[in-house]
Amino acid sequence: PSWRFKVRTFMRVISDSLPSLLGVKAFDKSKEDFFINLVNDTMKYREDNKVERNDFIQILMNLKKIDENMEIDPNNESHVILDDKLLAANTFIFFIAGFETTATTLTFSMFELAVNQEIQDKLRQEVQTTFEKYGAINYDSTKDMDYLDRVISETLRKYPIAGSLIRRCTKAWQVPGAKGKLEVGDRVVIPVYPIHHDPKYYPEP
């Protein structure tokens, strides 16, 4: 990441509204235009060629059609209009949160299994036993793999996807054992990576 990106990210950590007040966008215009055009071109192609697929883009297209057929009350501030930018934003979030996180976690899992032969053999045995029981690898059979779940969980502990999480306090809360109190609207930064590697929280991970 460039220094500009780091500055923009730091500003967003300090305050949600600060970048908007200063007219600073989270991403470069070229990247923003890329995703907007990607979504628009895909939707136009599907509409022109009567293509329907069972995927995220199709869900957004269906929602947009429903939204267009609704009578919108201009005085209702809670109503969200699904315009091209909002659809592109949702696609971008889906890509980052749903694709990149999965790919990264699986990559680290493969690495750990490669350097820990005993764990790899144990997991392989569980997969084979489960396959014989269900006759296929599907949602139900995957849920039944307890050791697989532990392998993924330990991978996420060692290599958390998000180094930290930023959340907003929705109700006043007294921090246990401390004088400080969180008020509604306070921003809380949760240091995921340090917590995951602190023996205080994970003495025997």
Side-chain angles (χ1 to χ4, degrees), residues 7-16 19 164 166 187 189:
V7 169
R8 287 197 295 262
T9 304
F10 181 68
M11 288 168 63
R12 199 165 294 279
V13 170
I14 295 172
S15 170
D16 280 339
S164 62
I166 302 172
R187 292 164 65 81
V189 179

Side-chain angles (χ1 to χ4, degrees), residues 188-200:
V188 180
V189 179
I190 305 165
V192 177
Y193 190 90
I195 289 174
H196 279 200
H197 290 77
D198 192 333
K200 173 184 174 183

Side-chain angles (χ1 to χ4, degrees), residues 16-141:
D16 280 339
S17 57
L18 184 59
S20 298
L21 290 171
L22 298 176
V24 177
K25 292 188 175 183
F27 296 94
D28 296 333
K29 191 176 185 303
S30 60
K31 295 181 178 68
E32 185 180 297
D33 290 343
F34 170 79
F35 272 94
I36 291 174
N37 293 332
L38 176 70
V39 174
N40 289 345
D41 292 346
T42 303
M43 288 184 173
K44 187 175 185 305
Y45 175 83
R46 292 190 184 185
E47 288 172 354
D48 293 344
N49 296 276
K50 308 298 181 192
V51 176
E52 283 197 19
R53 292 181 180 171
N54 187 23
D55 59 14
F56 186 71
I57 293 287
Q58 192 64 49
I59 292 171
L60 292 178
M61 289 177 68
N62 295 341
L63 287 172
K64 188 178 180 183
K65 286 179 183 177
I66 294 170
D67 195 64
E68 287 172 349
N69 294 329
M70 288 177 62
E71 291 185 9
I72 299 172
D73 180 4
N75 297 319
N76 187 356
E77 295 180 357
S78 65
H79 185 86
V80 178
I81 299 174
L82 289 172
D83 58 14
D84 293 338
K85 281 195 173 184
L86 186 59
L87 293 174
N90 275 278
T91 306
F92 180 72
I93 292 168
F94 181 79
F95 177 78
I96 296 296
F99 176 80
E100 183 62 27
T101 51
T102 303
T104 303
T105 301
L106 290 176
T107 300
F108 280 123
S109 296
M110 294 296 111
F111 166 73
E112 285 293 342
L113 290 172
V115 297
N116 293 281
Q117 187 67 48
E118 184 181 339
I119 295 173
Q120 181 189 144
D121 293 340
K122 189 174 179 179
L123 177 60
R124 187 167 182 268
Q125 182 60 50
E126 183 186 60
V127 172
Q128 289 177 324
T129 302
T130 306
F131 182 78
E132 290 172 6
K133 178 182 176 182
Y134 287 88
I137 299 296
N138 51 37
Y139 179 75
D140 292 324
S141 62

